[in-house]
Amino acid sequence: MEFNIAIVKGDGIGPEVVSSAMEILDLIGEKFNHKFNYREVLAGGSAYDKYGEPLPAETIDVCKNSDAVILGAVGGNQWDDLPRDKRPERAILGLRKELGLFANLRPGMLFKALEDACPLKTEIVGEGFDILVVRELTGGIYFGESGIKETENGPTAYDIEAYSEMEIKRIAKIGFEMAMKRDKHLTSVDKSNVLESSRLWRRVVNEMSGNYPEVELNHMYVDNAAMQVIKNPKQFDVILTSNLFGDILSDEISMITGSIGMLPSASLAASGAGLYEPIHGSAPDIAGKGIANPIATILSVAMMLKFSFNLQEEADTIEQAIDKVLKAGHRTSDIIINNEKAIRTTEMTELIKKEIDRR
Ligand code: NAD
């Protein structure tokens, strides 16, 4: 099969980790007889430097006309003082909006080989955990009406959390479908004891559960969920939640997996290209040193193969190769636990390629 992929390497370590992921993808193409065509475009600080815009029209156009988008990361200290609409991060928000990416999928899994990097006790994590957070990405308080009004108590700021039935339905559908592909357990997280928007959320999710009788659904208040992911992360399979709660919970879950350099993400639209990126930023402190961990980006590519191209076996091959390399004790500096020797980005990439080649 043949696929067209937009490549947005971005800033800092973005180009280093995306180049590694492209090497892996090319090898998968060779082994499984697929052709991946790339079109490289700029976004973030590098786009600002060249065009004076963090998200040029050409980038939007190429991304919209591709089968999927792979993104590294954007941002860096040299662009921190730019006006808001010129800042590199505007590129991410702009792409989400332009591509209609309403569903953010963030797996939080603990690789067995990295369990010592998990800050939780072994008796809590046992054989590891594997949670998928399905977060609504284009609604809720981050996109609601906001402002400041004068009151008798001085200026009063407000941000409105609003969700329509349509928005809840389409994200809940993704949550149920993901649960069907995994262990068939969905935890919907809300704050329906306090918030009207959460009460609608819960009602809609309950109504939809009738379409997925095989999925075991439970509801959890967000404050309890924040405790439960620390107390007993193994109880979760898929967590479905709003933009705000998902932002916080998925970061909390990333902390208990041991390294930010290991975690991928996918953002999906109702139709058209999905966007795949590591959860980490551009890591300016290590950019250009050749020591970044490429695994989060390589796992993002595996998600792309699974969710955008329906190539499950190819995705499994990548995940298994990474597992073997980690089990053999190879580590980039961010995941060193027991004085192992730190290897470079290129060495980690080569080792993963060797494992893929071996199958
Ligand atoms: P960061 O994720 O870039 O880095 C946090 C820490 O983790 C750093 O010490 C870094 O060296 C380390 N790290 C991150 N990824 C790593 C990897 N693959 N391998 C090894 N170590 C890794 O977060 P930050 O420092 O808060 O932000 C730096 C810049 O990135 C800022 O400009 C921020 O706005 C931007 N950012 C961009 C995105 C994105 O593009 N989606 C996301 C978050 C932050």
Side-chain angles (χ1 to χ4, degrees), residues 21-40:
M22 289 166 75
E23 282 186 44
I24 302 292
L25 199 50
D26 284 336
L27 181 59
I28 289 288
E30 255 173 57
K31 301 280 292 173
F32 290 88
N33 205 17
H34 304 302
K35 189 156 186 288
F36 299 110
N37 306 315
Y38 305 120
R39 270 198 73 186
E40 214 172 296

Side-chain angles (χ1 to χ4, degrees), residues 95 162 203 225 348:
L95 274 176
R203 176 167 69 69
M348 179 56 92

Side-chain angles (χ1 to χ4, degrees), residues 305-319:
L305 294 172
K306 228 182 300 185
F307 297 134
S308 280
F309 305 158
N310 221 358
L311 301 175
Q312 184 70 42
E313 194 189 345
E314 288 82 340
D316 290 347
T317 302
I318 294 178
E319 286 169 5

Side-chain angles (χ1 to χ4, degrees), residues 125-161:
V125 288
E127 287 295 295
F129 54 85
D130 179 358
I131 305 171
L132 178 68
V133 178
V134 175
R135 167 191 168 195
E136 202 288 326
L137 202 58
T138 51
I141 198 163
Y142 294 168
F143 290 85
E145 192 191 323
S146 66
I148 297 189
K149 60 185 173 194
E150 284 304 323
T151 68
E152 60 191 24
N153 296 322
T156 300
Y158 60 95
D159 303 272
I160 295 179
E161 168 90 347

Side-chain angles (χ1 to χ4, degrees), residues 116 331 335-341:
D116 287 352
R331 304 275 186 270
I335 48 173
I336 282 184
I337 307 160
N338 302 313
N339 291 327
E340 297 98 337
K341 175 180 164 284

Side-chain angles (χ1 to χ4, degrees), residues 13 73-76 89 92 260-261 277 280-286 292-293 334:
I13 61 168
V74 298
E89 294 75 15
I92 305 272
I260 195 167
E277 59 179 328
H280 60 71
S282 57
D285 51 336
I286 57 164
N293 186 348
D334 59 310

